[in-house]
Structure formats: structure tokens, C-alpha cells
Amino acid sequence: MQSIGRTRTQSRPSRSVNLGGMDYPDPKRKGNFVGKVALAAIMTTVCILVLKKSSFNYATPMIQFSMREEGVTHVLVTGGAGYIGSHATLRLLKDGYRVTIVDNLSRGNIGAVKILQELFPEPGRLQFIYADLGDAKAVNKIFAENAFDAVMHFAAVAYVGESTMYPLKYYHNITSNTLVVLESMARHDVRTLIYSSTCATYGEPEKMPITEETTQVPINPYGKAKKMAEDMILDFSKTSDMAVMILRYFNVIGSDPEGRLGESPPPELREHGRISGACFDAARGIMPGLKFHSQVKGTDYKTHDGTCIRDYIDVTDLVDAHVKALEKAVPGKVGIYNVGTGKGRSVKEFVEACKKATGVDIKVDYLPRRPGDYAEVFSDPSKIRNELNWTARYTDLQQSLKVAWRWQKAHRDGYGTPSVMAS
């Protein structure tokens, strides 16, 4: 199988973006009005050419992605420019899959896509399409122009604290956008869905560990929106022969062991982001400490040290679970699995591990708990172990944080590329 290291561009709003550089000479400045108009016209033309470059340069890869090829599985990865989605894309490409990333870059990083394209530059392997899943026409066009065999649906806003502040945003981004994806899958006969869900759908169960049979009573908009999306998927699966896998995973940490990818959230979301990112920011002096981070709030929970207990899963293990789910997906069947280590760690324990991993004595000021949070959550991974032969391997919390810290130190400015584009 061959691969593509560059991208193709479609008309707005679903356009692919070329990531290769183009050198254009600067036109000479002229002091008169005509010169300024000419300059503006030239720059406008340059912008159009950059956005449409692939439409006349890469016709062959376009054909490869639009046709099914024996022995090649073409996977659409929504949110593939994000932290988890980019790691999943890397694993899929390593395993020989053909991948199309669709991402609006509101939370993802174009730099991550560029790295993936540099790693897999051959035609027919990887393409990136800039689009918003909330645009039904754009999504339908993407499905019409590409021969997808399966969808890994990662794209979603995913911060509990933020969801309590902007609930409607979460219902739209998670629930409504999943409906758009399902409708396009049905319309274009794409029959395999791997859905990235969350343990937040369980809420705060009375009994630990959490099994797949634990009653789902989410207590924040993030968990509620994810459960609604799950319900839609399950209802639709009853009237189709779709192969569905729903993975409810726990708190994600770590990064690519070879240092190619990492986590680089937008600066404005650091307060709502993962506690590992906040620890690293504090260790690098970007933040004065951890008192501003949402997950370090609360010391009055009913746990052994008063702080929240979570099940931390390494991103490498998480994407391995997604690939195994894809391999085991069966038409007309639904699989629902918890993805975790089966062991809970408190926030205080996590911070101590982060201090050791970074070698920095991170200052921590515990503030009152945040709304919509819960005291203790960890999984029982027995079902996924028995049915998919999956077991978490990267369970050394300090080592996972050490690997992630290496990437953070080497990429102080993240991927070094702005994660925003014109929309």
C-alpha cells in the first residue's frame, strides 16, 4: 500500500490544506495607489493558490482515496489533529491502514498532521481535510468523495469544567456532530464505527470499580452529551448491520514513546486541560503552580487523602485498544468496553509522580472543588481483556509522565505552528 504525505484542497468549507512550504518573491513596494492595489491582488492570488494547490497537483492521490483497494482499509479519523487522534493516526499508519483526517483545528494542531505526513509521505496513505463536523453538507461531501471502510470518531470538546460553563457548546459539538457523522455513514454505506466515549457517562457510581454494566448517570454536560451520542449510535445500530465499538476510557496521559507526538492544547484552555499538562506548565515556569488548574481543586472528597481518585491510561495503550476494537468489529454487533488500568490514583499521588518525573518541586495550592466533578472513578478492564485481548502495558505512572515530559521539554512552544485557520 502507498501513502500520501501531502494534502488535497476542497472548496470551502471542507478544504484540505497543503502543509508544504511555497516560496514567493515579495513584490516591490510602490508608493502610489495602483501599486498598492497590485500588491493586494498578488497577495490574494497567492493565498488562493496555497489553499487550492493540491487541486491541480495531487489528482492521483485523490483517486486513491476515492476508490476501494483490495487489502487496504481506509479509516476516517475525526479529530485526528488532536492529542489522542494524532496518536491513533500514527498507530493506524504504522499498521498499514490508509487514513483520512478530518479536523477543524479548533483544538487540534496542524503541526501534528505535518509530522505524520513527513513520517508517511507516500501517495495514498494519509490525507488531511479541514472541515467542521457541524457542517452537514461539508461532511456529506467528504463521504461522497472518499471510499471509507471505517470511522474512528474522536472529534469532540472534552473538558468537564468547561462543559459546566458552556453546556450548549458541548451538546452541539458532541451530540449533534455525532448525528451528522452517523447520517453520512448511513447515506454512504460505511458500516464500521469506533466511537471514542468516556467514563464521564457513568457519573459518580456508588460502587467501584466501574464495569460496563454500571448504570450511566452522568453529572456534567460533557458526560451527558457523550451518553446522548452513545444512545443515538445504539438506536441506529438496531436498524442496521453496522459494526459498532464504543470505548469508554478514563484519564489519558503520556505521549509517543519515540518522541514524535505529544500533547499541545491551546494556551487559553490550559486551566481546563489535563492535569499532566498543568503539571508540565508549572514545571517549566509557564504557570506559577497548580492552584489555577481545575483538577487540583478539592481536598474534601471521601478518599484516602481527600483528593479525587482517577484511573490514568497511557495514550499508547489507549490507541492500541482502538486498533484492537477495529480489528474485532463485527457487522451487526455492538461492543462496549471500559479502557483503563483498573487502578485508581489520587491527585496528590499524581502530583508527586509528576514532581519525580520532571525533577521539579512543583508548588501546589489546593482550592475548593469544581462543579460537576466526582470523587472516585476507576475501571474494571476485565471485559476488554477477555474479549479483545487488550491489557494496559504502560502502567508506571511516573514513567508515562517522564516520557511526556521529554516531549514537553523539547517542544516548549508545542508544535511551533498555530492551531488556528480561517474558517
Side-chain angles (χ1 to χ4, degrees), residues 20 83 143 222 280 349:
Y83 169 46
F143 273 81
Y222 171 55
F280 297 147
E349 291 171 335

Side-chain angles (χ1 to χ4, degrees), residues 259-281:
R260 294 162 295 188
L261 299 171
E263 183 179 13
S264 182
E268 66 272 16
L269 294 174
R270 281 196 167 102
E271 180 181 354
H272 298 294
R274 292 177 177 83
I275 187 174
S276 56
C279 284
F280 297 147
D281 285 346

Side-chain angles (χ1 to χ4, degrees), residues 26-32 35-36 39:
D26 292 331
K28 295 180 179 179
R29 290 182 172 272
K30 296 184 179 181
N32 57 34
K36 292 180 180 179
L39 176 60

Side-chain angles (χ1 to χ4, degrees), residues 41-108:
I42 291 171
M43 296 308 296
T44 300
T45 302
V46 167
C47 291
I48 293 173
L49 288 176
V50 170
L51 290 174
K52 292 189 175 181
K53 179 183 176 185
S54 60
S55 65
F56 52 80
N57 276 354
Y58 307 139
T60 301
M62 188 184 300
I63 293 174
Q64 289 175 300
F65 286 97
S66 65
M67 298 178 63
R68 285 191 166 82
E69 184 178 337
E70 186 176 355
V72 177
T73 301
H74 185 182
V75 183
L76 166 61
V77 179
T78 70
Y83 169 46
I84 300 170
S86 62
H87 283 77
T89 299
L90 175 60
R91 170 62 187 274
L92 288 168
L93 290 167
K94 286 174 63 179
D95 286 3
Y97 289 88
R98 175 175 291 161
V99 179
T100 292
I101 291 173
V102 171
D103 201 304
N104 69 359
L105 301 179
S106 61
R107 301 286 167 98

Side-chain angles (χ1 to χ4, degrees), residues 119-157:
L119 291 169
F120 300 92
E122 302 86 4
R125 295 298 309 282
L126 172 65
Q127 69 170 336
F128 170 72
I129 300 176
Y130 172 66
D132 193 316
L133 296 182
D135 186 337
K137 289 183 179 180
V139 174
N140 184 64
K141 186 172 186 286
I142 291 168
F143 273 81
E145 295 179 352
N146 292 276
F148 299 128
D149 297 297
V151 175
M152 275 193 185
H153 184 26
F154 291 100
V157 286

Side-chain angles (χ1 to χ4, degrees), residues 86-304:
S86 62
H87 283 77
T89 299
L90 175 60
R91 170 62 187 274
L92 288 168
L93 290 167
K94 286 174 63 179
D95 286 3
Y97 289 88
R98 175 175 291 161
V99 179
T100 292
I101 291 173
V102 171
D103 201 304
N104 69 359
L105 301 179
S106 61
R107 301 286 167 98
N109 289 275
I110 203 69
V113 179
K114 185 174 182 179
I115 287 171
L116 291 167
Q117 291 179 313
E118 291 171 349
L119 291 169
F120 300 92
E122 302 86 4
R125 295 298 309 282
L126 172 65
Q127 69 170 336
F128 170 72
I129 300 176
Y130 172 66
D132 193 316
L133 296 182
D135 186 337
K137 289 183 179 180
V139 174
N140 184 64
K141 186 172 186 286
I142 291 168
F143 273 81
E145 295 179 352
N146 292 276
F148 299 128
D149 297 297
V151 175
M152 275 193 185
H153 184 26
F154 291 100
V157 286
Y159 298 135
V160 168
E162 185 189 39
S163 77
T164 64
M165 298 167 60
Y166 308 106
L168 296 184
K169 175 180 182 177
Y170 272 66
Y171 291 119
H172 176 84
N173 181 274
I174 295 173
T175 311
S176 298
N177 288 5
T178 298
L179 176 59
V180 171
V181 172
L182 283 175
E183 289 174 335
S184 287
M185 290 182 68
R187 186 175 295 114
H188 298 281
D189 199 29
V190 180
R191 301 183 181 183
T192 300
L193 173 64
I194 313 301
Y195 183 60
S196 175
S197 192
T198 172
C199 65
T201 63
Y202 292 113
E204 190 172 14
E206 295 181 1
K207 183 180 178 180
M208 289 292 146
I210 293 174
T211 72
E212 290 77 4
E213 302 303 317
T214 298
T215 303
Q216 291 175 287
V217 187
I219 62 174
N220 53 62
Y222 171 55
K224 292 176 183 178
K226 280 287 190 178
K227 185 180 184 301
M228 288 180 184
E230 283 192 16
D231 289 342
M232 286 193 306
I233 294 168
L234 295 174
D235 287 342
F236 176 60
S237 70
K238 295 173 184 176
T239 62
S240 71
D241 61 350
M242 279 185 66
V244 174
M245 293 292 205
I246 295 173
L247 302 184
R248 297 171 184 157
Y249 52 86
F250 292 68
N251 294 61
V252 188
I253 59 171
S255 63
D256 170 41
E258 295 184 36
R260 294 162 295 188
L261 299 171
E263 183 179 13
S264 182
E268 66 272 16
L269 294 174
R270 281 196 167 102
E271 180 181 354
H272 298 294
R274 292 177 177 83
I275 187 174
S276 56
C279 284
F280 297 147
D281 285 346
R284 293 189 300 171
I286 295 175
M287 295 173 63
L290 283 176
K291 71 177 181 178
F292 299 111
H293 191 265
S294 56
Q295 287 195 29
V296 191
K297 294 180 179 178
T299 57
D300 58 347
Y301 291 97
K302 294 181 180 179
T303 60
H304 68 276

